[in-house]
Structure formats: structure tokens, C-alpha cells
Amino acid sequence: MDKKKKTRSRSPEETPTDTRAQKRYRVDDTTPPPFNINNYQLIKKLGKGSFGKVMLASYTIKSQLVAVKIIKKKKKTDYHDIEMEATILRLGHTCPFLSRAYAIFQTESLVLFILEYARGGTLHKLIKRHRYLNSQEAQFYSAELVLGLRYLHKYGIIHRDLEPRNILLDEEGHVQIADFGFAQARKFDSKACHGTGGASGYMAPEVLEDVPYNSSADWWSFGVVVYEMATGKLPFSPNGTFQEQLDNITNTEPYYPETLTPEFRDFIQQLLKTKVEHRLGVYANAQDHPFFSSVNWETVKERSMVPPLKPRIKQIDMLSNIPFPENKIRKTGMNKEFTYIDPSWLDK
Ligand code: ADE
């Protein structure tokens, strides 16, 4: 017997192989080009973010490479978290050391963050390639990271997932703190946040302990990142339960190679203080530490400090054209104010 396949009506976003992209998504003549999904050609996967995948794409109107974070609207989608990430990206647009959003919009089934493509890979890859960084190299990345973190904290944003995989490098080798999917905004008081999360090995003791915390948690994670730059290794084991990791942090002293300059070593030690009130970044401005004594902060702010290492730039196969993921239309989503365009993209 011939079994008739059940068919259901397709959303415009589900038409699988229509090569004329304009037909695939519901857009009309009034949709500005940056908010028209058909103007983006997906090239390859860059990674998986906290709640969506990130693809390399070309914004075909300008033949400009961008990174597109694609979040499928699902039954369980937490729109509050997505709004939070969008808010943070909007707030961050004037800081050169944060991942930049060009446009944020939604279709009936997807949420899209169009981000600046950081072509130089991650700090994680850079450290792996060089095994570890010397004091002068680490000073450069640390200085840009300190400005990025201080900018976030000034706006009450706690990143909560700072680690070298979330620190991107642009084509020239400057830093961009990325992935605000786990970040919290408008956290100004001393015990503003709670909840365990973040990457194993980078979580602050107060996060592992599951007690309320604030931006202090980012300064700890930053300390772990600096230690990793200095040694190529983590200071504390990322294995075991949260309690075991916490015990390990409380009872062991990380190994510091003899070759570290006293300032470099002290900088890391001041950041990796178990007691929040003794931690650099909390009790004092990290910029004032002697590790940065040769740094001209005005130069750093202007992105005029020369990156000490050249990032590896990969060739891109512009011919590939991956379809946007299929997904059911959802009635829910963000309200209209969610849509955002970076001022620098207005004329594009
Ligand atoms: N991975 C995640 N976000 C990215 C970005 N903006 N550029 C390059 N790779 C990424």
C-alpha cells in the first residue's frame, strides 16, 4: 500500500534548496539591507557559542566578511538571555576591545547577531602555537583585556565566561572580548550575581562556592588567562566537582617558572587571590600594577600599541554557500526594539 507522506505547510525559511535566496525568507521592499537575511551568504562554521552557532558569512551588498551568530527560536529559548546579549553588544559598541555587533535582528524563526569577523583566531590558538608568551607579549594582550574588562564593569556588565577561547584577535592582532551569552548586565552592587557557570579551570572560587559575587569573578578568570599566557598551562586543575576544584584552589599554590619577571609573577599572584577583597581589579585598578609600568595607556586606548605577534590569517573559500538552518516559525520572539544597527553600518 502506498503510504502517503504527511506534509505540512512550510515556513518560507524552510524551503531547502531554492538557490534564489530572495524567495526563501519573508522580507519586503521596506526591509533595510542589513536586516535582510538573504543578503548574507554563509561560508563556514566558526564555532559554537553559548546558545547558537557562529558562521563566517559574506554581507553580499558590500562583499564584507562578517561573523553571524545564529540562534534558533525554540520552545525553550530564553529570550531574556538573548535580549541581555543584545543589550551588552549595543553598550559595547564604543569600546575597541569588545566584539562588535554591526546588526541585530530576527526572522520568524531565527535570531541573528551580525558581528565583526575577528580574522586572527583566538588567544587560545595563539598561546598553543607559541606554547607560552613572554612578559612583553603578555603585557600587550593583558593591557587591551584590562581596558575591555574595565569598560564592561563600568556599565555593570560581568562577562562570567572569560577564557582564551572567548578572546578573539582581529587581523592586526588586537584583542576582542567575545561571547556575551553568559554575561549579566546592570550588576553594580557587591553581591550582584549568583549561579555557577563558565569554563572549568577559569571559574573564581566564589563562583565555584555558589555564593553571590560581582565583577571580581572576571578578575579571577583574567588572572587564569594571564597565567596561561605566561606558562601555557592552567594554574589549577579543571577536573573534579566544583567542591574539589575549590579545595584545590584553596590548598595549592600554582607553579611559577623561575623565568617570570618579579612584576609578571606578582601581577598574576595579585589576580589569583582567593579572597575577593584582596584581588587586584577589586582592591585596586589593575592598570596601576608595576607589570604595566612601561605602558602608555593613551596609546593602548587608541589601539596604537603594536601587537607583538602576527596572527595567522586563513584563506577563505568564498565559493561555499551554506543554507541557513531550518527551523519552525515561532510566534514568540523579541519585541521590535530588539533590532539594532551599528552607526557605522547605517550607510551600508
Ligand atoms: N567566533 C565567534 N565569534 C567570532 C567572531 N566575531 N569572529 C571570528 N570568530 C568568531
Side-chain angles (χ1 to χ4, degrees), residues 46-49 54-56 66-69 99-100 115-122 165-166 168-169 176 178-179:
L46 290 171
K48 249 182 104 56
V54 183
M55 304 283 297
L56 174 65
V66 291
V68 182
K69 181 164 179 173
S99 181
R100 187 185 190 90
L115 307 164
E116 180 178 348
Y117 172 45
R119 211 166 171 165
T122 63
R165 284 181 180 79
N166 288 336
L168 307 178
L169 302 173
Q176 286 187 2
D179 200 350

Side-chain angles (χ1 to χ4, degrees), residues 88-99:
I88 293 167
L89 284 165
R90 280 193 290 261
L91 278 173
H93 88 274
T94 54
C95 177
F97 307 114
L98 303 179
S99 181

